[in-house]
């Protein structure tokens, strides 16, 4: 059974940075799609950044492009999200996920289905 645990959230001022981590246990050797999602109060969950490990491509939502970077350390079975130049509108609960579908489409408004999900880590950005 796959278990994902996020960490690294916190409170920062606008313009600051945070690096989220997602540690996995019981991870499959190969995972097709890995990603980060977020959900703010009263809003729907949205895809922020995903990684297609087969195509070796990354996808970002428009607001994250150029500010966020998704990466993976295979040796540590850990997924990361480096977030720079944070804005108040980035405030949300951030979740990592694996093996959901669709992959790239999940940052273009398509609802991801299936896969494994963590419990989330809170990110709060003050102005």
């Amino acid at each position: 059974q796959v278990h994902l645990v996020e960490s690294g959230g916190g409170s920062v001022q606008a313009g600051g940075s945070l690096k989220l981590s997602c540690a996995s246990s019981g991870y499959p050797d190969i995972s097709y799609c890995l990603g980060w999602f977020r959900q703010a109060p009263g809003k729907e969950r949205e895809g922020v950044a995903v990684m297609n490990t087969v195509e070796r491509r990354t996808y970002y939502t428009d607001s994250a492009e150029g500010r966020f970077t998704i990466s993976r350390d295979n040796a540590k079975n850990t997924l990361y999200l480096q977030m720079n130049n944070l804005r108040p509108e980035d405030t949300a609960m951030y979740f990592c996920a694996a093996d959901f579908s669709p992959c790239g489409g999940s940052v273009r408004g398509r609802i991801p289905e299936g896969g494994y999900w963590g419990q989330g880590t809170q990110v709060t950005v003050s102005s």
Side-chain angles (χ1 to χ4, degrees):
Q1 184 172 353
V2 176
H3 188 54
L4 304 178
V5 179
E6 302 94 337
S7 62
S11 297
V12 296
Q13 291 190 329
S17 298
L18 284 173
K19 186 174 185 178
L20 306 183
S21 299
C22 174
S24 63
S25 59
Y27 213 69
D29 290 336
I30 298 176
S31 183
Y32 161 58
C33 192
L34 304 168
W36 289 95
F37 295 77
R38 66 187 179 189
Q39 187 166 19
K43 294 187 177 181
E44 294 185 351
R45 183 176 57 185
E46 68 167 334
V48 176
V50 301
M51 175 185 293
N52 184 318
T53 63
V54 174
E55 298 178 356
R56 297 189 178 184
R57 293 184 63 180
T58 56
Y59 302 84
Y60 298 90
T61 191
D62 289 344
S63 65
E65 187 77 54
R67 299 188 300 127
F68 294 4
T69 302
I70 186 172
S71 63
R72 181 187 188 188
D73 186 329
N74 291 336
K76 296 182 179 180
N77 276 348
T78 301
L79 183 71
Y80 301 101
L81 183 67
Q82 176 68 48
M83 304 187 294
N84 298 327
N85 192 20
L86 283 161
R87 306 165 179 168
E89 53 264 40
D90 295 318
T91 295
M93 183 71 77
Y94 283 70
F95 303 87
C96 67
D99 285 344
F100 52 89
S101 181
C103 197
S106 63
V107 299
R108 293 290 180 259
R110 294 183 63 185
I111 298 174
E113 298 180 348
Y116 307 95
W117 294 79
Q119 294 299 307
T121 185
Q122 178 67 38
V123 172
T124 302
V125 185
S126 58
S127 57

